[in-house]
């Protein structure tokens, strides 16, 4: 996902890490700098928009 694509994510959107459907999460917050994802199998993480290259919309 590119930075501009990341900026279009809405709270509640489901995402996956590196095309691994077993490593999914939900966007819980978004702002001008990035998004916060609550991963199903690990801790919550804030990721800057331009660092979302390994994330895909589910």
């Amino acid at each position: 996902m590119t930075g501009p694509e990341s900026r279009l994510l809405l709270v509640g959107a489901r995402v996956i890490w590196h095309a691994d459907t077993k490593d999914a999460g939900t966007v819980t917050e978004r702002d001008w700098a990035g998004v916060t994802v609550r991963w199903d199998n690990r801790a919550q993480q804030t990721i800057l928009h331009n660092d979302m290259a390994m994330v895909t919309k589910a």
Side-chain angles (χ1 to χ4, degrees), residues 17-37:
W17 180 258
H18 205 296
D20 181 358
T21 57
K22 294 180 183 178
D23 196 0
T26 303
V27 175
T28 59
E29 295 178 44
R30 61 185 286 255
D31 63 26
W32 65 272
V35 296
T36 301
V37 177

Side-chain angles (χ1 to χ4, degrees), residues 2 4 11 14-15 18 29-30 33-34 42 51 55:
T2 65
V11 171
R14 295 287 291 167
V15 294
H18 205 296
E29 295 178 44
R30 61 185 286 255
R42 53 191 159 106
D51 292 337
V55 179

Side-chain angles (χ1 to χ4, degrees), residues 1-7 9 15-18 32-35 37 39 42 45-56:
M1 175 175 303
T2 65
E5 291 170 332
S6 173
R7 286 175 178 80
L9 288 173
V15 294
I16 57 175
W17 180 258
H18 205 296
W32 65 272
V35 296
V37 177
W39 296 103
R42 53 191 159 106
Q45 177 182 22
T46 299
I47 308 170
L48 297 176
H49 290 299
N50 289 334
D51 292 337
M52 294 281 286
M54 301 300 281
V55 179
T56 305

